[in-house]
Structure formats: structure tokens, C-alpha cells
Amino acid sequence: AVGFPNGEVVAAEGLSGGLALFWRRDVMVALQSKSRSHIDVILSSDNLRTRQWRFTRFYGEPKRELRKNSWYLMRFLRAQCDLPWLCAGDFNEVLSAEEHIGGSERGAWQMAGFQEVVADCGFLDLGLSGLQYTWDNRQDGDRNVKVRLDRALGDHKFVDSMGETSVRHV
């Protein structure tokens, strides 16, 4: 239905969550694990410069008080494999105050957990082109809130081997 012959899906729970990963026929994908918060795979293809690498589709815990569970999961996943790693999705958190405008100010303590796990996993933010904020509550005036919750993070091995990777927010 979406134009890809293969896929892995985690159904949404109510109005939140839900993950999907689709791929072409020429890519071999080995599912490592999945949960309501992630789909972790190892990809291989003769058409890639890096023969084998890891991709994790991620959904961060939406409840602030439970978000530390997302960071535990990321650290657990880091320990499972040492292939070049790309982790992308909705982390439900920002890395800096500039990634959140409007509404209540995000406290440093809230961002610290995400900043620490990014450092612990050896990730670099791959940046993005296009719209700077990936979530917008679409309210008018002072009630408008925009936040960059979605991103792609690559470890040093991924960046070294697939440095031309780019992220576009459309």
C-alpha cells in the first residue's frame, strides 16, 4: 500500500505511539527486537558502501515522568551491538532550549536526561533541513507551541561510513 514490499509495524496505542519501518527488496533486514517504543534492525545490502549497519526506529515515552525509561532503553540497545548505528524518530524531548518555543519553558533537568543518553551512546545529531520544528500545536498567538521532537542520531561509526546522510523535514 505504501510502495514498499517489506515492513515491520508496531501499532499505536490510542492516539500516541505507533511505529513503522519499510524497505525495498534489495535490502536485507534482520529484526533484532521491537517494543511499543522501538524497532531495532540490522540492514545489509550490496548496494551500500557500508555492507552492514544498524537502524533503530524510536518513539520516546510521551509522559515526562516516565521518559527515563526511554533513556534506559537506548543505553540497553547501545550495549547490544557495535555496528554503525542510526537511531531516528520522535524522542519526545529536545537537546536544547532553542528547540522549544512558546508555552512553558523546558527545564534544564528535563533536557539533561536526553543530552546524557546521546553522549553515552556516542551519538551526533545529524541536523535537518526544512522546517526547524517537527511538532506544532497549531494554536494562535501566545498559545502557539513549536518543538523539535523528531531527529536522526548517528554514532561515530555511522557518520564516518555514511557521512553524506541528510535529514529533511517536510
Side-chain angles (χ1 to χ4, degrees):
V2 294
F4 291 94
N6 302 301
E8 204 53 65
V9 175
V10 175
E13 295 180 8
L15 296 176
S16 72
L19 294 167
L21 178 63
F22 301 103
W23 60 92
R24 301 182 321 226
R25 282 187 181 84
D26 64 332
V27 178
M28 298 293 295
V29 175
L31 178 66
Q32 301 302 294
S33 62
K34 72 179 184 177
S35 71
R36 64 182 284 279
S37 299
H38 82 290
I39 300 172
D40 188 44
V41 299
I42 294 178
L43 299 102
S44 56
S45 174
D46 293 334
N47 298 329
L48 296 173
R49 187 170 49 187
T50 300
R51 182 143 168 69
Q52 209 175 42
W53 58 283
R54 178 183 189 190
F55 177 70
T56 304
R57 180 75 172 92
F58 201 83
Y59 179 65
E61 177 60 53
K63 294 180 182 168
R64 188 177 321 156
E65 65 275 11
L66 299 176
R67 204 155 297 139
K68 65 181 182 276
N69 296 334
S70 296
W71 314 149
Y72 293 145
L73 174 60
M74 286 176 71
R75 286 183 179 95
F76 174 80
L77 292 169
R78 167 79 277 172
Q80 303 307 303
C81 180
D82 201 31
L83 288 171
W85 189 19
L86 173 65
C87 184
D90 177 351
F91 293 87
N92 271 312
E93 191 52 82
V94 299
L95 286 172
S96 69
E98 294 78 32
E99 295 177 343
H100 179 136
I101 61 170
S104 301
E105 191 173 303
R106 242 180 174 84
W109 66 269
Q110 193 175 338
M111 295 177 281
F114 190 31
Q115 293 164 343
E116 289 166 10
V117 75
V118 166
D120 291 349
C121 290
F123 281 135
L124 300 169
D125 186 330
L126 299 183
L128 74 124
S129 62
L131 299 173
Q132 182 178 358
Y133 302 101
T134 61
W135 183 85
D136 185 330
N137 70 354
R138 302 197 187 283
Q139 305 234 349
D140 292 325
D142 293 343
R143 295 181 315 210
N144 185 242
V145 178
K146 295 179 182 182
V147 191
R148 180 180 178 207
L149 299 177
D150 301 82
R151 67 182 67 242
L153 303 168
D155 69 3
H156 292 282
K157 287 182 180 181
F158 181 85
V159 171
D160 289 347
S161 62
M162 309 255 250
E164 72 282 354
T165 301
S166 63
V167 178
R168 256 187 340 166
H169 177 219
V170 292

